[in-house]
Amino acid sequence: VHTRAEKSAAVREWHEQFHALAEGLFRAELLAFGVPADDVDPLVAIGVFVIEGVLTHPMDRIQRRAVIETLLASARSRAASAR
């Protein structure tokens, strides 16, 4: 996608919208978990990298679930340690 986005306005627009949607949804979840404000932006970046990786690399459903659950557990842990 990144290579194609350099050459195609349609792919670039789709990719930018994907990032906006993924970042917005993940940011909302992190804030709902109670993640400290200073940790939200870095965790959003990590989350989007994880989602892109899960979508673009061969991985079975169990592996995908484990990766995403680990990311969410980390976010919940950050939130819990801030309380």
Side-chain angles (χ1 to χ4, degrees), residues 4-5 12-13 16 19 23 25 27 32 38-39 44 53 60 62 67 69 71 73 76 83:
R4 288 184 181 172
R12 182 173 40 260
E13 182 179 336
E16 289 171 0
H19 269 269
E23 290 169 10
L25 291 171
R27 181 177 307 283
D38 290 345
D39 292 343
V44 165
D60 68 34
I62 294 170
V67 168
E69 287 295 331
L71 174 64
R76 289 183 188 112
R83 291 182 194 136

Side-chain angles (χ1 to χ4, degrees), residues 1-80:
V1 169
H2 295 123
T3 302
R4 288 184 181 172
E6 293 174 6
K7 298 176 181 163
S8 167
V11 173
R12 182 173 40 260
E13 182 179 336
W14 179 90
H15 187 249
E16 289 171 0
Q17 289 178 1
F18 163 80
H19 269 269
L21 177 63
E23 290 169 10
L25 291 171
F26 197 49
R27 181 177 307 283
E29 285 298 316
L30 294 174
L31 293 171
F33 287 161
V35 171
D38 290 345
D39 292 343
V40 170
D41 285 341
L43 282 171
V44 165
I46 291 166
V48 172
F49 292 148
V50 167
I51 297 303
E52 277 188 320
V54 164
L55 291 173
T56 60
H57 293 85
M59 193 177 281
D60 68 34
R61 185 180 62 78
I62 294 170
Q63 290 172 313
R64 278 193 307 270
R65 184 71 179 193
V67 168
I68 292 170
E69 287 295 331
T70 300
L71 174 64
L72 293 175
S74 173
R76 289 183 188 112
S77 176
R78 299 290 280 201

